[in-house]
Structures are given as structure tokens and as C-alpha cells.
């Protein structure tokens, strides 16, 4: 449960400002907190769990930084550059600790972008690694259960003519079994995700 003094307060819950995340109280027009994490480069989107206890966030530049493609953050070089989702405990809005990390080792080196939570699943857009689906575990960690690569143009950030090709967003709110993935090159993709096939795989 989120701090009692912030229950039933109209929040612009989180805003993402490249190297930090802020929490703003829209009712009282005041900042509750700002926070960051080691290696933050361009965090600009995230989503909260359905119980409002956890924030999941993607950083759009950290993979390129770790792959050595951006000069201003060459110190983060990592040839693997696998996509990372940060997992923040937000039960105390004024004291956000360093996040846990979900490193998706099932995806090739790629950039993660927009994500959304619906129920116990996260629907993530990972540009050249396609549309990904993660199952939220009891401890709020993530396990990948499905993906579809809409482009199959490259399998490494360094080799991509445009590492921002592929899936830009992965929208899960049309109905219970259909998601929509969009991108700038291959049009709109509509998927039917059969989540029931994965419910017991990791238990």
C-alpha cells in the first residue's frame, strides 16, 4: 500500500525527465519526490503495477550507451547491451530506493521503449527486438513469456542501420486477448496473445 497521506490524492503519478523520475501531487501542486538510479541516461516512460506498489521503467539510451554507440556515456560500455527494465518499490513515495533490474537475456542487444501493465503482465516495445510480454511474478520480478519480432532486420544494436526501427509501442488495452504494436517502417501489427498457455510454465 502506498503511504497513507498520499491515498486518494490526484497524482500526476510519475513524470520521466531523462535522468530522473519525479512524483507530483496535482491536488496540492507540489513535488512529492524526485529520484534516479546509477547509469540513468534517458528514462522517459514507465508504468505502475495494478496494486500501485511497483513502478516499472525503461531507459531508451542505456543500451546504446553500454554498446558504445553514444560518446557522452562511453563509460557504460557493455558489448552485450541487453535490454534492462528497472523495478522500483514505490510503497513509500518519499523514499524510493535503488531499483532491481530485469535483464532480458532472451532478447538480442536492443533498445527498450514504451511499456504498459495490464493485470499480471507487462507489454513492452523493444524496437528491433520486437513486441515482448513479461509475466509479473509474486515478488514483482519479471519473466518473459512471449515475443514477436516484426522486422527481423538485425540482431545487435551495433549492426542495425536504424536501432530505433521495429516496435515503438505495444498497446494491450483493446480487449483481453489482443495487443497492438506500431512502428515507423512496417505498419501496424495486431496480435492475439494466448496468455493461458504460459500461466504455469514458470511456477
Amino acid at each position: 500500500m502506498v503511504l497513507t497521506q498520499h491515498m486518494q490524492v490526484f497524482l500526476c503519478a510519475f513524470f520521466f525527465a531523462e535522468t530522473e523520475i519525479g512524483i507530483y501531487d496535482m491536488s496540492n501542486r507540489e513535488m512529492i519526490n524526485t529520484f534516479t538510479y546509477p547509469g540513468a541516461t534517458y528514462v522517459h516512460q514507465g508504468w505502475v503495477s495494478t496494486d500501485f506498489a511497483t513502478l516499472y521503467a525503461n531507459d531508451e539510451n542505456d543500451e546504446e550507451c553500454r554498446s558504445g554507440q553514444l560518446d557522452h556515456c562511453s563509460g557504460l560500455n557493455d558489448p552485450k547491451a541487453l535490454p534492462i527494465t528497472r523495478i522500483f518499490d514505490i510503497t513509500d513515495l518519499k523514499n524510493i530506493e535503488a531499483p532491481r533490474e530485469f535483464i532480458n537475456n532472451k532478447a538480442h542487444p536492443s533498445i527498450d521503449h514504451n511499456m504498459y501493465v495490464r493485470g499480471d503482465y507487462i507489454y513492452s516495445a523493444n524496437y528491433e527486438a520486437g513486441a515482448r510480454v513479461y509475466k509479473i511474478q509474486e515478488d514483482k520480478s519479471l519473466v518473459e513469456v512471449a515475443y514477436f519480432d516484426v522486422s527481423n532486420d538485425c540482431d545487435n544494436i551495433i549492426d542495425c542501420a536504424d536501432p530505433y526501427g521495429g516496435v515503438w509501442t505495444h498497446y494491450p488495452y483493446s480487449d483481453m486477448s489482443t495487443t497492438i504494436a506500431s512502428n515507423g517502417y512496417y505498419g501496424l501489427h495486431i496480435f492475439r496473445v494466448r496468455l493461458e498457455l504460459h500461466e504455469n510454465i514458470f511456477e
Side-chain angles (χ1 to χ4, degrees), residues 25-60:
D25 181 340
M26 293 292 288
S27 297
N28 297 312
R29 298 185 180 183
E30 63 182 14
M31 188 70 71
I32 295 174
N33 192 8
T34 59
F35 56 98
T36 187
Y37 55 90
T41 61
Y42 195 75
V43 56
H44 77 105
Q45 198 268 355
W47 214 262
V48 296
S49 58
T50 54
D51 61 3
F52 302 102
T54 306
L55 170 69
Y56 298 93
N58 282 340
D59 188 320
E60 193 174 0

Side-chain angles (χ1 to χ4, degrees), residues 82-83 102-110 126 129-130 132-135 142-149 155 198 201-202:
L82 296 172
F102 166 62
I103 301 175
N104 189 355
N105 55 22
K106 293 185 178 181
H108 59 69
S110 58
N126 283 41
R132 321 295 294 199
V133 181
Y134 307 142
K135 175 72 182 293
L142 301 176
V143 173
E144 181 172 272
V145 297
Y147 78 94
F148 191 92
D149 188 345
D155 58 8
H198 305 284
I201 288 178
F202 301 103

Side-chain angles (χ1 to χ4, degrees), residues 15-22 35-46 56-66 70 72-73 76 84-86 88 111-115 125 127 164 168:
F15 68 86
F16 299 82
E18 300 187 4
T19 58
E20 66 179 9
I21 301 171
F35 56 98
T36 187
Y37 55 90
T41 61
Y42 195 75
V43 56
H44 77 105
Q45 198 268 355
Y56 298 93
N58 282 340
D59 188 320
E60 193 174 0
N61 279 168
D62 65 330
E63 291 86 10
E64 280 195 296
C65 283
R66 288 181 286 113
L70 299 180
H72 70 272
C73 49
L76 295 173
I84 298 176
T85 296
R86 271 76 184 186
F88 296 90
I111 298 169
D112 46 29
H113 195 231
N114 294 333
M115 65 159 65
Y127 282 120
Y164 294 92
W168 185 83

Side-chain angles (χ1 to χ4, degrees), residues 4-24:
T4 303
Q5 65 260 39
H6 299 301
M7 293 297 288
Q8 299 181 343
V9 172
F10 179 44
L11 299 176
C12 175
F14 299 91
F15 68 86
F16 299 82
E18 300 187 4
T19 58
E20 66 179 9
I21 301 171
I23 311 172
Y24 192 77

Side-chain angles (χ1 to χ4, degrees), residues 33-194:
N33 192 8
T34 59
F35 56 98
T36 187
Y37 55 90
T41 61
Y42 195 75
V43 56
H44 77 105
Q45 198 268 355
W47 214 262
V48 296
S49 58
T50 54
D51 61 3
F52 302 102
T54 306
L55 170 69
Y56 298 93
N58 282 340
D59 188 320
E60 193 174 0
N61 279 168
D62 65 330
E63 291 86 10
E64 280 195 296
C65 283
R66 288 181 286 113
S67 69
Q69 297 302 293
L70 299 180
D71 293 337
H72 70 272
C73 49
S74 58
L76 295 173
N77 282 1
D78 174 5
K80 293 184 178 179
L82 296 172
I84 298 176
T85 296
R86 271 76 184 186
I87 305 170
F88 296 90
D89 182 340
I90 56 170
T91 52
D92 184 344
L93 295 180
K94 290 188 175 181
N95 295 285
I96 309 294
E97 297 182 353
R100 292 180 289 160
E101 294 182 344
F102 166 62
I103 301 175
N104 189 355
N105 55 22
K106 293 185 178 181
H108 59 69
S110 58
I111 298 169
D112 46 29
H113 195 231
N114 294 333
M115 65 159 65
Y116 306 95
V117 173
R118 180 164 186 172
D120 293 329
Y121 293 87
I122 286 179
Y123 299 81
S124 182
N126 283 41
Y127 282 120
E128 286 293 352
R132 321 295 294 199
V133 181
Y134 307 142
K135 175 72 182 293
I136 300 174
Q137 306 297 293
E138 188 173 348
D139 65 355
K140 304 301 183 180
S141 63
L142 301 176
V143 173
E144 181 172 272
V145 297
Y147 78 94
F148 191 92
D149 188 345
V150 305
S151 66
N152 201 30
D153 282 343
C154 63
D155 58 8
N156 192 305
I157 293 174
I158 297 173
D159 300 327
C160 290
D162 180 4
Y164 294 92
V167 176
W168 185 83
T169 201
H170 188 195
Y171 183 81
Y173 302 116
S174 54
D175 63 43
M176 288 303 292
S177 60
T178 301
T179 68
I180 300 171
S182 66
N183 66 83
Y185 298 97
Y186 300 96
L188 196 68
H189 288 72
I190 301 175
F191 304 113
R192 186 169 299 278
V193 183
R194 300 181 63 185

